[in-house]
Amino acid sequence: MIPPCLCTLVLGGGGLKGLAHIGVFRALEERGIEPRLVVGSSMGSLIAATWAAGMRIRQMEDRALALQRRDVFRIAHVDMALRRMLAPAVYRREPLDRILADLLGDRTFQDLPHRLLVNTVDLNSGHQILWGLPGLDDVRVADAVFASCALPGILPPRKIRHHFCADGAVVENLPIRTAQAISSNPIIAVDLSGGRSRSHGVERTGFAATYSRGLELVMGRLVEDVLVDWAGPPTIMIRPAIERVTMFSFNKTPYLIAEGYRATMDALDQLEAPLPELPPGIHPKHQVQVRVDRDQCIGCGLCAGTRPDIFRMNGAKAEVHTPRHEWSPMTDALERTCPVSAITAAGPAGTDPSHPRF
């Protein structure tokens, strides 16, 4: 059992994919892990706030399974008709406000039984604002969570004090740096960005799909940029296999919850040592083999120029000179370095190191 004082939980955004976080909480509860601090971004902030307010996991599951599209998304017809391009968002604020009022009431951060930080960004200044920090903990949790869920253009920003705040995912979707700055405790981080996945035909599926796909790519790259040379507290990276679920899917809730649970249990089972004894870096660690398909390679040289520690040019083709590496979020970025998909990085028998199942 991990003592509750030794863990910070970081929950990333991903639209309705964030319901997977409920399964994460179920797994942690079964393992006797109660985080001392939870940092949430976007939908991760909503699930984190619900838990921090004291709701039991079973009740969270029941509420999620009953959620329908009309409970969250209602088009702002009047604003769009009267204000057109000056309308603040596509969807109305009232449905989400009702959900948050029901879940959180008028509690401030000071009223919560568990410590919570909610990640937002001030749209005017560009400053990241973490509600719940000292001096920022006397505001309504519901307002901070609304702001954190307010994807620009999808939901209107929320005014909190003199700030107009929106989804903090646009600056740090998985706020691990924030967790490190506040506490030196080990971190459990749940990444739902899905930017590492491949999609087909997105350009034919309309505004919502193209917008959400663009966000996934941005959020995934933000995570990689933070963790490329991570030397902070030991961080357990949990990445549920939900890439094929869209950010606005309402019919995948049972799978999302189950996959969040499975991915968390697998990651905990794969740890090389008890959490307090882990060295700095990303965990669980896995060996991967990096390869270049020379028949597919076009010799553009981008991989060798970007990662000379791994690749070099041999004539008109690229080759790998240091093939074995420990998995990290950068493993995915290595594959995307190549415009023709000639690079692969896989574990034993071709397994995917992004999903710790081997």
Side-chain angles (χ1 to χ4, degrees):
M1 179 181 295
I2 302 172
C5 62
L6 293 178
C7 174
T8 295
L9 179 63
V10 179
L11 302 181
L16 270 295
K17 294 182 181 186
L19 296 174
H21 293 314
I22 299 174
V24 173
F25 275 115
R26 167 66 71 191
L28 296 180
E29 181 179 76
E30 290 186 10
R31 291 297 181 92
I33 302 171
E34 182 179 307
R36 187 178 186 184
L37 167 67
V38 183
V39 185
S41 188
S42 195
M43 189 64 169
S45 75
L46 192 155
I47 303 300
T50 303
W51 177 83
M55 183 176 289
R56 299 185 66 83
I57 306 300
R58 173 56 64 187
Q59 188 178 0
M60 292 170 65
E61 292 174 348
D62 291 342
R63 296 292 294 268
L65 291 168
L67 191 67
Q68 299 183 45
R69 181 176 295 275
R70 66 174 179 269
D71 297 328
V72 182
F73 294 122
R74 295 190 182 180
I75 295 176
H77 290 291
V78 174
D79 269 348
M80 295 181 70
L82 297 179
R83 303 180 66 183
R84 302 196 178 190
M85 295 302 292
L86 293 178
V90 173
Y91 295 105
R92 295 167 55 184
R93 62 173 178 79
E94 292 86 358
L96 182 56
D97 269 333
R98 282 193 290 269
I99 291 173
L100 294 174
D102 185 36
L103 293 174
L104 302 170
D106 289 324
R107 293 180 180 91
T108 69
F109 287 85
Q110 297 170 349
D111 300 326
L112 297 176
H114 303 283
R115 192 179 179 200
L116 169 72
L117 297 182
V118 171
N119 182 35
T120 70
V121 63
D122 184 315
L123 281 177
N124 290 307
S125 69
H127 293 165
Q128 186 177 17
I129 301 179
L130 295 146
W131 301 102
L133 287 173
L136 298 171
D137 58 357
D138 58 348
V139 303
R140 293 176 69 244
V141 178
D143 285 332
V145 171
F146 185 100
S148 190
C149 291
L151 282 169
I154 300 297
L155 288 168
R158 176 56 50 91
K159 185 178 182 180
I160 309 176
R161 295 183 179 173
H162 58 281
H163 303 281
F164 285 89
C165 294
D167 192 346
V170 300
V171 293
E172 190 180 12
N173 186 51
L174 191 66
I176 294 179
R177 289 179 302 187
T178 296
Q180 177 195 22
I182 294 166
S183 172
S184 60
N185 290 336
I187 296 168
I188 298 176
V190 187
D191 175 27
L192 308 178
S193 60
R196 63 192 183 278
S197 66
R198 295 181 183 273
S199 296
H200 300 281
V202 175
E203 71 282 359
R204 301 189 298 271
T205 53
F207 165 78
T210 54
Y211 183 79
S212 62
R213 177 58 177 169
L215 283 173
E216 286 180 342
L217 293 172
V218 170
M219 293 187 297
R221 297 300 174 91
L222 288 173
V223 172
E224 290 168 0
D225 288 346
V226 170
L227 298 179
V228 56
D229 295 314
W230 183 253
T235 299
I236 301 173
M237 181 62 67
I238 299 171
R239 302 177 97 178
I242 56 176
E243 295 88 348
R244 291 178 175 82
V245 179
T246 69
M247 293 178 67
F248 303 115
S249 293
F250 281 81
N251 60 346
K252 303 294 184 183
T253 301
Y255 173 75
L256 289 168
I257 294 174
E259 179 56 21
Y261 175 88
R262 182 211 63 79
T264 304
M265 285 296 203
D266 278 3
L268 295 174
D269 287 342
Q270 296 288 337
L271 293 182
E272 312 93 283
L275 182 55
E277 300 173 14
L278 291 172
I282 304 297
H283 302 271
K285 296 184 180 298
H286 303 292
Q287 292 292 320
V288 297
Q289 188 88 9
V290 181
R291 298 180 176 88
V292 172
D293 184 338
R294 289 180 62 85
D295 292 333
Q296 186 77 7
C297 177
I298 59 174
C300 70
L302 186 60
C303 59
T306 304
R307 293 301 301 268
D309 56 318
I310 300 175
F311 304 99
R312 64 190 172 200
M313 300 303 295
N314 183 358
K317 301 284 186 174
E319 67 177 13
V320 179
H321 61 81
T322 53
R324 294 193 64 82
H325 298 270
E326 283 190 327
W327 174 80
S328 79
M330 281 306 296
T331 301
D332 307 315
L334 285 177
E335 296 180 339
R336 285 196 299 273
T337 299
C338 182
V340 294
S341 303
I343 298 172
T344 58
T351 51
D352 181 357
S354 302
H355 303 148
R357 298 175 180 172
F358 58 94

